[in-house]
Amino acid sequence: MDTAAVARAAGEVVRPYRARPGSTAPSLLLHTTTPLLKAFDGDLAALLSGQEPHDVTTYVEARSVYLGTPDDLTLGRTAPWAEAAALRGVPAVDVGDLDHYYLTHALLLMAEAHEERADTPLRQVIDWLRDRPDAVVRLYALDVETQIFLLWLLRRTGLAELATDANSPAVATEWNRKNHIHPTVADARAMPASALELSPEELLAAEQRLGRAHRRLGLTVPVLPGYTIARTGVDRDAFVADVLDAAALLRTRYGLGRAALKPADAGDGARIVGNLDLADTDRLAAEARTAHAVGDDHLLEAWVTFLTVSLGDEEAGPGSPAARRVPVVPSGHIRHGQVAEGLTLQMLDGYSWRGNDYVDEAGWTALGLPRDAYRTVRAALEAVREAFRGPQSVADGSYGGLVTGGIDFAVGRLGGAFGDRLLVGAIDFNLSAHGAESLRTFRDRAREQAIDEPYAATRVFLPPADRTLHQMAATARSMAVPGALLEAVACVPRRWGMVAATGAGPAVAAARAEALVAALTAPGPRP
């Protein structure tokens, strides 16, 4: 069976689960980062350059436990994951294999050993699923490795099908990347001369219609100027030439001076090179040669001067973190197959995600942000959902396959031919599980506990080496004021931690989350 046959087989027996309001089903938590996003490559590149790796695989496994309950079962193998399972009271199966970066690789090898009659922890998983045929397998992404493992589980359990909260194989493998946003350089060059007489907005719309998402799904959403540089089957010199050609297109068609070179398959801001001078062909060529070596498609996309907003000042006091202005990078989400309520403002450290702040339209405008931008993003989210339910998605094989995901947007100014006009554009499609689900789960739990505060914020930070999740939880409880909820989500010492806080307004929630991070990173005795 080749990988195409695996996808076909999985498409027949692994079905997307769409939760109905008020309904629950037991969950098998099987979260691991995916080779599709090249997390291992990113961590390895960080090590080789002398930087601290993100350790994506460990924090993805550890934070997933927050999504579980005592009625569920979680799989993992690291100490932070085990601590989270113990603290949350989620039954756990320790796979034990720390030799493989991706949990799915460890599970496939264990499944092979199980076939050879070895006594493996997978026996617990098989028995658990047999006793709960209505269970939902909660996944980070339904990549080919996960598809193989689920097909094996089906054969071992004797079940006819498995439900997952992941997107269909077609969506997971074909659309969980960025190379469908913009046209290729060749397609852009082939546009008729008359197109170059259009206004910048009309030209941008015409270019987007040449992108893969529009051609295959009919998807139209606001975007920034940019071009896809194909990598597969392309030698280094041709790849570099395409990057330089894309730079020339941005300069001549839109009068732009700067851009970002972005990998199509990476997540969490990995390997983005930003604020590149489009006239500096030597630098562009050098960055293109580096990008070619990694192996995935890239985008050269217009550089944005983001609109900014002040967050975190409403509860500031002695020792509290000062308010700071942050770029307006909203994300919207598909949840259980529907467009989730509201938006989240992303907190960024450079290009890396560092948390979310939930906003509805009232919260957005209360922060002084333009109402039209909020409504543009919300309309784009509906367009994305409808594209995967439209007639073209049937031919594409992705019809009804979008169950979960996040789409990031830029709100800002480009200059050049666009002058001082404020633009909104989709800049990333993360059509898999995502970190903002922790925020939305936290809001669900706040409502379950009768917390009336409608807003919430999460913050990602680097916990000290001696910090534990139990300590973080104790500190969160000690800092919660009546009517509010503060929680610790996950802790990977020296690598990744997350906390969450509610608030009567977005700035209040942000201030509480920032204050909790400050307390958790301050020197001194631990609780």
Side-chain angles (χ1 to χ4, degrees):
M1 180 181 287
D2 60 17
T3 54
V6 168
R8 287 194 297 271
E12 293 173 358
V13 294
V14 178
R15 60 179 177 83
Y17 172 79
R18 293 174 175 83
R20 295 184 180 91
S23 66
T24 58
S27 295
L28 175 64
L29 297 170
L30 180 52
H31 271 232
T32 177
T33 188
T34 170
L36 292 174
L37 295 180
K38 297 184 181 294
F40 175 74
D41 306 68
D43 276 348
L44 186 60
L47 284 171
L48 292 174
S49 65
Q51 302 173 27
E52 289 285 341
H54 289 297
D55 198 3
V56 180
T57 192
T58 300
Y59 78 67
V60 166
E61 291 175 34
R63 79 182 183 196
S64 71
V65 180
Y66 187 75
L67 309 178
T69 73
D71 295 326
D72 301 330
L73 185 69
T74 178
L75 273 67
R77 67 256 169 87
T78 65
W81 163 83
E83 184 189 19
L87 181 66
R88 304 280 172 208
V90 181
V93 173
D94 191 338
V95 175
D97 184 338
L98 296 175
D99 293 333
H100 297 87
Y101 185 89
Y102 297 106
L103 177 60
T104 45
H105 293 178
L107 290 172
L108 289 173
L109 288 171
M110 188 168 288
E112 183 179 49
H114 197 93
E115 287 293 303
E116 297 170 355
R117 301 187 183 281
D119 184 16
T120 74
L122 294 180
R123 169 56 57 196
Q124 300 174 60
V125 180
I126 293 166
D127 291 344
W128 190 89
L129 279 172
R130 278 180 180 154
D131 292 340
R132 299 163 182 82
D134 61 333
V136 178
V137 185
R138 303 195 67 173
L139 301 171
Y140 186 75
L142 189 56
D143 56 20
V144 67
E145 291 90 345
T146 304
Q147 293 170 36
I148 294 170
F149 182 67
L150 294 184
L151 289 171
W152 179 82
L153 276 180
L154 275 168
R155 182 161 60 83
R156 274 293 174 178
T157 58
L159 298 175
E161 62 180 15
L162 280 176
T164 79
D165 68 344
N167 297 321
S168 70
V171 174
T173 56
E174 293 295 321
W175 296 103
N176 188 26
R177 49 189 59 176
K178 305 179 186 72
N179 61 358
H180 53 78
I181 302 174
H182 301 300
T184 63
V185 174
D187 284 343
R189 280 290 188 200
M191 294 177 73
S194 58
L196 306 185
E197 300 174 4
L198 299 171
S199 71
E201 288 84 1
E202 291 170 329
L203 175 59
L204 179 56
E207 285 189 340
Q208 196 218 1
R209 289 193 291 273
L210 298 176
R212 193 162 64 95
H214 183 80
R215 284 180 161 176
R216 287 177 56 175
L217 297 175
L219 175 62
T220 300
V221 293
V223 296
L224 306 178
Y227 304 96
T228 298
I229 296 94
R231 168 62 178 84
T232 303
V234 176
D235 65 33
R236 190 180 72 171
D237 289 345
F239 185 85
V240 172
D242 265 0
V243 170
L244 297 179
D245 205 5
L249 287 171
L250 290 173
R251 290 198 313 271
T252 57
R253 292 189 174 184
Y254 297 103
L256 301 176
R258 296 192 169 271
L261 185 62
K262 302 164 57 175
D265 294 348
D268 196 27
R271 296 188 283 122
I272 293 176
V273 183
N275 204 15
L276 289 166
D277 184 348
L278 292 173
D280 188 347
T281 54
D282 289 342
R283 170 77 189 282
L284 286 168
E287 296 295 350
R289 287 190 288 270
T290 300
H292 181 270
V294 179
D296 52 345
D297 294 350
H298 274 65
L299 315 179
L300 191 70
E301 188 174 76
W303 184 252
V304 185
T305 300
F306 286 95
L307 193 66
T308 61
V309 64
S310 180
L311 281 175
D313 60 337
E314 291 199 16
E315 292 192 349
S320 297
R324 57 190 178 118
R325 296 198 70 83
V326 298
V328 179
V329 188
S331 294
H333 304 101
I334 306 297
R335 199 180 191 210
H336 310 313
Q338 304 296 325
V339 176
E341 62 180 337
L343 301 175
T344 68
L345 288 172
Q346 287 197 96
M347 298 298 107
L348 300 175
D349 179 9
Y351 307 117
S352 294
W353 167 76
R354 287 294 180 263
N356 297 89
D357 290 64
Y358 173 79
V359 290
D360 54 13
E361 186 170 322
W364 175 276
T365 55
L367 291 170
L369 297 174
R371 190 183 307 273
D372 286 349
Y374 180 94
R375 293 181 176 179
T376 297
V377 173
R378 291 288 303 175
L381 295 170
E382 293 288 353
V384 170
R385 178 182 179 274
E386 288 305 313
F388 286 97
R389 300 187 65 82
Q392 288 179 253
S393 70
V394 176
D396 177 68
S398 58
Y399 177 82
L402 179 61
V403 176
T404 187
I407 299 95
D408 302 337
F409 295 81
V411 180
R413 295 175 171 84
L414 302 179
F418 297 95
D420 197 43
R421 295 191 289 280
L422 190 70
L423 300 179
V424 176
I427 55 175
D428 192 9
F429 282 68
N430 179 24
L431 301 187
S432 66
H434 49 83
E437 180 59 25
S438 298
L439 173 69
R440 293 187 177 275
T441 298
F442 172 71
R443 292 189 69 241
D444 292 342
R445 292 184 175 168
R447 284 192 288 258
E448 291 167 2
Q449 298 179 39
I451 302 295
D452 291 332
E453 294 184 323
Y455 298 97
T458 56
R459 288 294 180 271
V460 173
F461 68 105
L462 297 180
D466 59 347
R467 181 61 76 183
T468 69
L469 185 60
H470 283 79
Q471 293 167 350
M472 287 172 53
T475 301
R477 287 192 299 269
S478 71
M479 294 179 62
V481 299
L485 182 64
L486 276 68
E487 286 197 334
V489 174
C491 177
V492 181
R494 294 183 58 246
R495 289 291 185 267
W496 199 92
M498 177 186 275
V499 297
T502 61
V508 174
R512 288 176 180 163
E514 296 277 0
L516 180 52
V517 168
L520 292 169
T521 54
R526 307 298 184 211

